[in-house]
Amino acid sequence: MSDSPRVPGSSVDSLVQHATDNQVCRITLNRPEALNALTPDQRERIIDLLAGASEDAEVRAVVLTGTGRGFCAGADLRTGAALRKPAAGDVARTLRLGAQRLVAAVLDCEKPVIAAVNGTAAGLGAHLALACDLVLAAESARFIEVFVRRGLVPDGGGAYLLPRLIGPQRAKELMFFGDALSAADAERLGLVNRVVPDGELAKTAREWAERLAGGPTRALALTKQLVNASLDSDRATAFAAEAAAQEINMTTQDAREGVASFVERRSPRYEGR
């Protein structure tokens, strides 16, 4: 929830690794000794990378994952900054500018984002994963709404995301008790798209991402916007947004290619334009 200082002796580029290959941007949290607990520098770097992925025509899908036993243990609360008594307004401001911006960056990214959850996803780390468009989980992964264990209210968008994914009753159960949820149980509840053996997580994430990268990129972006907005919309608003999105989409090269390939009875060749 609160900011913490830089990690001594480490650059943010080493703590948040990234590479683009086959039009897939891979963002890897690399602080395994802390289960990839996020510092402010790491958080800002992820936000910047997601914004860059939205703008870069050569990026058509994103994979977010971690190294070691943890996907992300949440915000780093082990330093003095988290323990100082805040002045009025400090906490709300920190959340608006920090954890909430991070989750919003995932939700607003114009490219599909896959979470490849390799281990523990706790607190803000769980919300970071659940904000992604698709969630793959290794069999050893766990999801923990850890806030209640620390006497905290769930932040980082948790009370917004969870009820929309699994309903209010299940969301309250997870948030009230703070029990660890196995990957299999997360899949059963609908928090995870698929659980795979640990050794197959990276391969499956790459396959899914490359398939998305070969799709109609703008149509996927518009679809993401429609779905994300739908749960906050009435029917008339949702239908109007759908019609406007299709109007915009039909001006794209990929839409024309999709229709042409259907008429010509061939596979489409999408270029993300």
Side-chain angles (χ1 to χ4, degrees), residues 162-173:
L162 275 171
R164 286 163 170 77
L165 292 168
I166 59 175
Q169 301 301 112
R170 291 290 194 182
K172 288 177 202 173
E173 180 182 346

Side-chain angles (χ1 to χ4, degrees), residues 46-57:
I46 296 168
I47 292 171
D48 289 345
L49 288 170
L50 289 168
S54 287
E55 298 170 2
D56 190 347

Side-chain angles (χ1 to χ4, degrees), residues 71-181:
F71 171 76
C72 177
D76 189 342
L77 299 179
R78 297 178 301 172
T79 58
L83 302 177
R84 290 196 296 267
K85 184 177 180 179
D90 283 354
V91 173
R93 187 181 311 107
T94 296
L95 286 175
R96 285 197 307 271
L97 300 178
Q100 291 175 353
R101 280 180 59 243
L102 175 62
V103 170
V106 179
L107 293 170
D108 295 340
C109 182
E110 295 178 25
K111 309 299 167 61
V113 183
I114 298 172
V117 183
N118 54 294
T120 298
L124 176 59
H127 302 162
L128 178 62
L130 298 178
C132 292
D133 303 301
L134 299 171
V135 183
L136 291 169
E139 289 177 342
S140 63
R142 300 187 308 158
F143 298 81
I144 312 173
E145 285 297 316
V146 75
F147 298 93
V148 70
R149 300 187 188 181
R150 311 289 181 254
L152 301 175
V153 170
D155 61 39
Y160 174 86
L161 291 168
L162 275 171
R164 286 163 170 77
L165 292 168
I166 59 175
Q169 301 301 112
R170 291 290 194 182
K172 288 177 202 173
E173 180 182 346
L174 295 180
M175 291 178 169
F176 285 2
F177 293 115
D179 294 333
L181 191 68

Side-chain angles (χ1 to χ4, degrees), residues 160-228:
Y160 174 86
L161 291 168
L162 275 171
R164 286 163 170 77
L165 292 168
I166 59 175
Q169 301 301 112
R170 291 290 194 182
K172 288 177 202 173
E173 180 182 346
L174 295 180
M175 291 178 169
F176 285 2
F177 293 115
D179 294 333
L181 191 68
S182 70
D185 284 341
E187 183 181 32
R188 176 178 56 82
L189 289 177
L191 291 173
V192 166
N193 292 90
R194 187 175 301 177
V195 177
V196 298
D198 287 26
E200 295 181 14
L201 180 66
K203 174 177 177 288
T204 305
R206 182 174 62 253
E207 290 172 349
W208 281 31
E210 289 179 355
R211 184 175 177 185
L212 290 170
T217 306
R218 292 308 303 162
L220 292 177
L222 290 165
T223 301
K224 174 174 178 171
Q225 291 174 14
L226 287 173
V227 173
N228 285 353

